[in-house]
Amino acid sequence: MCGIVGYVGEKQAAPVLLDGLEKLEYRGYDSAGLAVLDGKNNINIARAKGKLCELFKKTDGGKALEGVCGIGHTRWATHGEPSENNAHPHFNDDKTIAAVHNGIIENYAELKGKLSRQGYEFYSETDTEVATKLVDYYYKKHGDPVRAIANFVLRVRGSYALAVLFKDYPDQIFAVRKDSPMIIGVAGGEAFIASDVPAILKYTKSVYYVANTEIAHVEKGKVTFYNLDKEVVEKDLTEITWNAQSAEKDGYEHFMLKEMHEQPRVVKDTVNGLIKDGKIDFSDFGLSDKDIAKVKHITVVACGSAYHAGVAAQYVLEELARIPVRVELSSEFRYRNPVADKNCLVIVISQSGETADSLAALREAKKLKMKTLAIVNVLGSSIAREADGVLYTKAGPEIAVATTKAYSSQLIAGYALALKFATVRNTITQERYKELLSELSTLPEKIECILKQKESIQHFASEAANKKNVFFIGRGVDYAVCIEGSLKLKEISYVHSEAYAAGELKHGPISLIEDGTLVIGVLMQENLIEKTLSNLVETKSRGAYIAAVTCGDDKKVENVADVKITVPYTDGLFAASLAVIPLQLFAYYLSVLKGNDVDKPRNLAKSVTVE
Ligand code: M6R
């Protein structure tokens, strides 16, 4: 949901800003813009509708904007259509202040009315222009950027990461955030602002995580933080462990393809990070055995694919640890007035750690005094910082909008939780525990083996290229994989698809099956194969074209399926980790065949920081 960058240093700012925006384009890509202070007390702005390459062309790779201090923005429209006029940065009336913003100013209409009555005029439909003019109003009143921004914070409702240039303060940027991400990196005589780490990894790994409502005064190689009373706040730098290459395509055609291929390593790293002395160990994540023993129920809250990882975890946790688990969409949990339960552990799963609904759900759980655990990929993200405990998945930066490797690492975290809870609750034998632990360590190799057969999935995708509707069906953990496979297909290939628990199909959706409809059955649970197979046969009798993802050489599957995709065998509880790989590849190749922008699908943004 929009990406912001800022730079001040010795280099020309615009090329550095464009480079950073390129790494953030996954956050929004309907328009982009730059503002640079030119050293002669002018703020020059360039904006362009469309992808970042348009701004790149317009500014000749940044050469058209001279100066060593600037801010930039890539937009995912909230207020006002994607257009040059609505693109950021926005100016105040006399072009002495320019700002970029990520988030939503909820009371912007009321503020716009008040500012209009003060004589302000508005040229765009955006809340960001209102924000810029509000800062201008307070700056003219107090003559001090920090005080102006502090007043802005007190006046606005909503979420924002705001970076502001003042003509009166050359080579300086002022910034603030609330519930939208912002980091500030420093290196020698340079300083960088960004919505996310990949934008600055190439330049520095030393970053400050800006807390809510802290105001940053960014100068060459130096940052001073203030609270709303303009008192200096001392902060520590954090060292990022990700390497710069992990934010590059590395020879792959798309980030998604690269990230799918990183899954064996990511799964291995996540497993290794959870095992100490041959056992699953959660003591470093703020969840001791004593804490676990007190938990009587678990509620998982998440959105999108993270929610799907939660659904898979629910099956595994209930099976192994015999503990009731409920999985809820964060956007529902936050408004449904959940019942406070001190014996309930609320687990928030999020790749970015910034998803607005998941952050709000976490806060709701904390308000109700429930213990919280975050399963998060991005170090220092808001959810990671606010939860009582945090388990970091080891996926590294994920750039493609459609998640693959982060989802895979979330699955591992769910399995590990189930095994841990099962030991503490004494619901697993030593033998089964060891068996599953050893199976866990074989997953990377098995994923690798599926990836090596990617051409066969590519061929299947080419056969399915004209399908208008696709159904995914499965039972238990296989159903959890189906909902993820269906989402992948929708988001990047724009093919309509539905996922159903196999037994549910005949309660309505089967009426949609007609000649040639593609039905993909996931058949990884030995005890449920026959049941799902019967449901596939029901659709085949109505003309469906059947594909089956399975791990056995069951002749019964071959007799029913038109296409059989075989993955290595694993315990049914871990089936999602293998069955999801061909489904990711299928969505990917279909998207490529259709000529879609795989990494930046239409209408989407990677990190959904607005409701
Ligand atoms: O960063 P989060 O894991 O909280 O994001 C949640 C969803 O927005 C995300 O999983 C989304 O559904 C992906 N685009 C799916 O590929």
Side-chain angles (χ1 to χ4, degrees):
M1 299 275 124
C2 305
I4 66 169
V5 289
Y7 172 79
V8 51
E10 306 300 336
K11 298 190 187 81
Q12 284 299 301
V16 178
L17 296 172
L18 284 170
D19 184 50
L21 287 179
E22 193 201 323
K23 303 286 181 318
L24 294 183
E25 219 189 350
Y26 68 85
R27 300 178 66 86
Y29 31 86
D30 60 44
S31 52
L34 301 174
V36 177
L37 274 155
D38 70 359
K40 295 175 214 128
N41 275 7
N42 297 312
I43 302 175
N44 296 316
I45 280 186
R47 303 182 297 177
K49 184 182 165 187
K51 299 225 163 108
L52 190 62
C53 54
E54 300 303 325
L55 182 67
F56 196 89
K57 272 187 245 156
K58 192 168 184 178
T59 59
D60 190 15
K63 289 193 201 100
L65 291 177
E66 275 192 33
V68 296
C69 176
I71 52 179
H73 188 267
T74 177
R75 181 168 185 247
W76 187 89
T78 56
H79 297 71
E81 56 164 14
S83 68
E84 189 173 324
N85 206 39
N86 287 331
H88 306 198
H90 286 286
F91 263 138
N92 62 342
D93 288 349
D94 51 14
K95 302 197 168 150
T96 53
I97 293 177
V100 289
H101 162 233
N102 164 27
I104 286 188
I105 308 293
E106 285 164 6
N107 54 339
Y108 88 103
E110 169 206 326
L111 294 169
K112 191 171 184 174
K114 288 195 171 148
L115 288 166
S116 299
R117 287 192 286 282
Q118 298 287 332
Y120 282 88
E121 285 176 10
F122 293 87
Y123 57 84
S124 79
E125 299 156 84
T126 65
D127 54 346
T128 306
E129 190 191 351
V130 177
T132 312
K133 287 175 178 175
L134 189 65
V135 170
D136 174 76
Y137 171 80
Y138 286 120
Y139 181 64
K140 293 210 160 92
K141 197 162 167 188
H142 300 289
D144 171 17
V146 174
R147 286 214 184 285
I149 292 174
N151 277 283
F152 162 89
V153 170
L154 296 171
R155 202 67 189 78
V156 300
R157 286 198 307 274
S159 61
Y160 45 83
L162 189 80
V164 193
L165 296 181
F166 292 82
K167 181 181 158 170
D168 298 342
Y169 291 79
D171 299 352
Q172 296 169 51
I173 308 172
F174 294 84
V176 70
R177 75 170 278 255
K178 183 176 160 276
D179 296 343
S180 284
M182 180 189 279
I183 53 161
I184 301 181
V186 285
E190 299 178 301
F192 307 81
I193 298 177
S195 300
D196 199 358
V197 172
I200 61 173
L201 257 186
K202 188 166 149 185
Y203 306 101
T204 182
K205 290 188 180 181
S206 305
V207 304
Y208 291 105
Y209 286 95
V210 185
N212 269 347
T213 75
E214 259 171 17
I215 300 166
H217 176 196
V218 186
E219 298 169 270
K220 290 184 179 177
K222 180 182 162 201
V223 191
T224 314
F225 293 93
Y226 297 95
N227 63 18
L228 295 180
D229 293 323
K230 216 188 161 184
E231 292 156 351
V232 172
V233 178
E234 297 299 337
K235 287 177 78 74
D236 291 329
L237 277 167
T238 302
E239 282 302 306
I240 302 291
T241 52
W242 293 350
N243 66 38
Q245 208 168 352
S246 51
E248 305 291 339
K249 275 196 209 145
D250 233 358
Y252 285 90
E253 201 180 333
H254 298 103
F255 275 111
M256 184 179 172
L257 189 63
K258 179 193 175 213
E259 287 161 5
M260 284 191 287
H261 279 86
E262 285 174 340
Q263 291 180 109
R265 182 180 50 74
V266 158
V267 164
K268 193 172 178 183
D269 290 352
T270 306
V271 171
N272 290 344
L274 292 164
I275 295 178
K276 233 192 230 165
D277 301 327
K279 287 194 183 125
I280 306 276
D281 188 343
F282 270 73
S283 52
D284 288 350
F285 314 132
L287 201 63
S288 66
D289 287 8
K290 226 163 133 193
D291 294 328
I292 293 176
K294 283 189 209 146
V295 178
K296 300 279 179 281
H297 325 267
I298 294 175
T299 294
V300 179
V301 289
C303 304
S305 295
Y307 170 83
H308 299 159
V311 174
Q314 177 187 36
Y315 285 106
V316 186
L317 266 157
E318 291 201 337
E319 174 67 32
L320 290 180
R322 311 308 304 154
I323 187 166
V325 181
R326 177 176 181 147
V327 192
E328 286 196 56
L329 295 165
S330 309
S331 53
E332 289 299 309
F333 181 87
R334 66 181 290 190
Y335 289 123
R336 77 166 173 81
N337 196 10
V339 178
D341 179 351
K342 65 176 176 19
N343 298 319
C344 179
L345 171 70
V346 175
I347 301 177
V348 186
I349 308 181
S350 173
Q351 186 283 128
S352 62
E354 298 293 348
T355 300
D357 284 324
S358 296
L359 181 59
L362 168 72
R363 288 179 180 162
E364 180 68 19
K366 290 191 76 172
K367 201 171 88 195
L368 296 171
K369 309 259 180 291
M370 297 200 256
K371 188 159 175 70
T372 56
L373 173 74
I375 298 178
V376 166
N377 193 43
V378 179
L379 183 78
S381 53
S382 301
I383 292 175
R385 279 183 291 164
E386 292 190 25
D388 299 320
V390 53
L391 183 169
Y392 283 108
T393 48
K394 299 277 166 64
E398 191 177 62
I399 311 288
V401 165
T403 180
T404 52
K405 60 174 181 168
Y407 166 82
S408 281
S409 64
Q410 289 161 352
L411 288 177
I412 300 297
Y415 307 154
L417 263 174
L419 282 164
K420 183 70 207 174
F421 269 74
T423 5
V424 175
R425 291 166 63 84
N426 218 4
T427 53
I428 192 168
T429 62
Q430 266 303 311
E431 205 184 0
R432 178 81 170 129
Y433 180 80
K434 281 193 186 142
E435 182 192 7
L436 287 174
L437 216 53
S438 123
E439 185 56 31
L440 212 51
S441 66
T442 68
L443 292 177
E445 204 182 303
K446 292 175 178 171
I447 295 173
E448 189 83 66
C449 163
I450 306 169
L451 288 165
K452 283 197 179 127
Q453 296 160 26
K454 58 179 187 279
E455 278 77 18
S456 62
I457 311 287
Q458 187 173 17
H459 178 72
F460 169 49
S462 65
E463 281 183 340
N466 295 324
K467 301 287 178 202
K468 297 272 178 286
N469 297 297
V470 181
F471 286 79
F472 291 81
I473 63 168
R475 289 168 183 257
V477 170
D478 293 349
Y479 165 66
V481 188
C482 286
I483 51 180
E484 176 58 8
S486 172
L487 178 65
K488 287 283 92 71
L489 196 64
K490 285 188 241 271
E491 64 179 338
I492 60 169
S493 71
Y494 316 149
V495 171
H496 170 248
S497 80
E498 303 275 354
Y500 276 96
E504 191 60 18
L505 212 64
K506 60 173 100 52
H507 296 285
I510 200 162
S511 63
L512 295 168
I513 306 292
E514 49 191 26
D515 242 8
T517 305
L518 174 59
V519 179
I520 301 179
V522 178
L523 304 140
M524 299 283 288
Q525 312 294 311
E526 277 171 311
N527 58 332
L528 296 170
I529 285 189
E530 287 193 356
K531 302 279 172 207
T532 305
L533 214 48
S534 316
N535 303 125
L536 284 173
V537 172
E538 287 158 8
T539 64
K540 197 175 169 98
S541 319
R542 287 156 180 87
Y545 182 76
I546 310 288
V549 178
T550 187
C551 56
D553 53 5
D554 199 329
K555 283 277 169 288
K556 282 182 273 192
V557 177
E558 264 163 44
N559 293 341
V560 174
D562 298 295
V563 177
K564 186 173 161 224
I565 299 161
T566 310
V567 300
Y569 174 82
T570 186
D571 193 288
L573 292 174
F574 301 158
S577 291
L578 302 190
V580 78
I581 310 294
L583 303 188
Q584 294 170 345
L585 288 165
F586 176 59
Y588 171 79
Y589 284 119
L590 211 53
S591 175
V592 172
L593 272 170
K594 288 174 180 289
N596 297 347
D597 189 340
V598 178
D599 288 335
K600 299 188 276 282
R602 69 185 180 204
N603 304 338
L604 293 176
K606 176 87 182 154
S607 175
V608 185
T609 52
V610 296
E611 300 191 37

